[in-house]
Amino acid sequence: MKSKHVFVFIGGIFFGFGLAFGGMSKQEIVLSFLQLKDLGLLLLLGGSALVTALTINIVPKVLKKPILGGVFKKRTRTLTKRTIIGAIIFGVGWGISGLCPGSAMASLGIGNLPALIGIAGMFLGAYVMGRYFT
Amino acid sequence: MFPLGFFPYIIGGILIGVGVSFIYIVTGLHATQSSFFGTTISFFSKRPYFLQKQYLDSRGWRITFAVGVILGAFIYTITLAAEGFFTTSVEWWRLAIGGFLVGFGTRLSKGCTSGHGISGLASLSTTSLFAVLTFITVGILTALVIQSLGVFP
């Protein structure tokens, strides 16, 4: 196993622990946010984006390259119709199920096995997009 | 507005940010979630879309990341979760239809709650900001409509 994988794995553990700690692996909590009963998930999203923003914007000014070498990748996305249409379709699915990709993975870790149905749906949806809409 | 308080949400958010930051500092990679579905399909499909270089280069570590996320949630459950393991009461048809739309939409939009919501906003991307505002607004409207039809939770 390459050393890169070890560190990605450790980071993933923090990610999944945080998702479960924040309740996002429970579709009931996600739906209570989307039904505007509990706005706590905004704090979770804001907190994670803020910590990551500090890292992404400051660390490359201090370190020339990542600790394992290579380059600090820039995440670039161009705004197109597909960005927004895709976000609309994602939003409908999120509102129906309370599932998003990361929280579905974390759901498996809390023993929430019905999320497997959602994950199967996500694979199928990703396949149909890549097969018929590219 | 905050029946469960602030604490679990803020701590959970910080931990997620620490995980993404750690991976970025060590490897330079943006650890995001929804690409995992496309890159994993590349093991099984010969379609050019799935065999793009970016997918082939990242499909290995994306699986590692997904397994880490599952393990992290498991560790939380066996150490800190007062109520132990959990099973949702959302019906299977909602998970199936919702999952399909989530898979389709996130790949069309090239990002999800973590890709646009965490890494995208953290990269100060206006594209991601528009995507996040869109999926949160549509998600809220959809959930309210479903609820008004008498479907719970």
Side-chain angles (χ1 to χ4, degrees), chain A residues 59-60 63-73, chain B residues 22-29:
Chain A
V59 170
L63 289 176
K64 274 193 194 129
K65 54 184 187 183
I67 292 170
L68 287 183
V71 291
F72 285 115
K73 290 205 163 69
Chain B
F22 176 75
I23 293 171
Y24 188 71
I25 293 169
V26 176
T27 68
L29 298 168

Side-chain angles (χ1 to χ4, degrees), chain B residues 31-52:
Chain B
T32 59
Q33 297 278 358
S34 67
S35 297
F36 162 78
F37 297 106
T39 60
T40 302
I41 291 171
S42 77
F43 286 104
F44 308 102
S45 171
K46 300 268 187 291
R47 300 289 302 180
Y49 170 80
F50 296 109
L51 296 178
Q52 56 183 294

